[in-house]
Amino acid sequence: VQLQAYGGGLVQAGGSLRLSCAASGRTFSRYVMGWFRQAPGKEREFVAAITWSGTYYADSVKGRFTISRDNAKNTVYLQVNSLKPEDTAVYYCAADGDYSGSWLAASTYDYWGQGTLVTVSS
């Protein structure tokens, strides 16, 4: 599956964005989808995941970010609200098709999008 993330941009603190990740292929619904982010000089970190059993969030984004998917459109979304300067990062979407590990770990995912930059100004 090929993934393309978009929707990032420059926003003031407290603002919102909706990130989207479009997937190719006809079996999108079988993939667990996740969002990760990587800030300058930092490691890539888990943000959110959506599975058949529910959604999962990093503690740092709970209550502010919402992950959702539209299988008919082969798209996963990340609604990001109440943005803070520390949310500044490149956001990546990812897909896991073999369910072989923790969905909080980047190593679990098989496919990655190219990333979309979110910059939050104070």
Side-chain angles (χ1 to χ4, degrees), residues 9-17 64 80-88 118-122:
L10 174 62
V11 63
Q12 289 187 333
S16 299
L17 288 170
R64 300 189 297 122
V80 296
N81 298 329
S82 302
L83 282 163
K84 306 174 181 179
E86 52 263 42
D87 293 319
T88 294
V118 173
T119 303
V120 184
S121 63
S122 56

Side-chain angles (χ1 to χ4, degrees), residues 2-86:
Q2 292 183 323
L3 305 173
Q4 184 171 2
Y6 56 96
L10 174 62
V11 63
Q12 289 187 333
S16 299
L17 288 170
R18 188 174 80 157
L19 308 184
S20 300
C21 175
S24 64
R26 296 176 292 176
T27 58
F28 173 74
S29 62
R30 66 178 290 271
Y31 288 95
V32 170
M33 299 300 297
W35 285 94
F36 287 76
R37 66 186 181 185
Q38 187 165 17
K42 295 188 177 181
E43 294 187 353
R44 191 168 298 190
E45 65 174 0
F46 170 78
V47 174
I50 184 165
T51 76
W52 54 84
S53 62
T55 55
Y56 302 87
Y57 297 94
D59 288 343
S60 59
V61 308
K62 278 181 182 176
R64 300 189 297 122
F65 292 11
T66 303
I67 188 172
S68 62
R69 68 191 298 165
D70 185 337
N71 289 334
K73 295 183 178 180
N74 280 14
T75 302
V76 62
Y77 304 98
L78 186 69
Q79 178 68 40
V80 296
N81 298 329
S82 302
L83 282 163
K84 306 174 181 179
E86 52 263 42

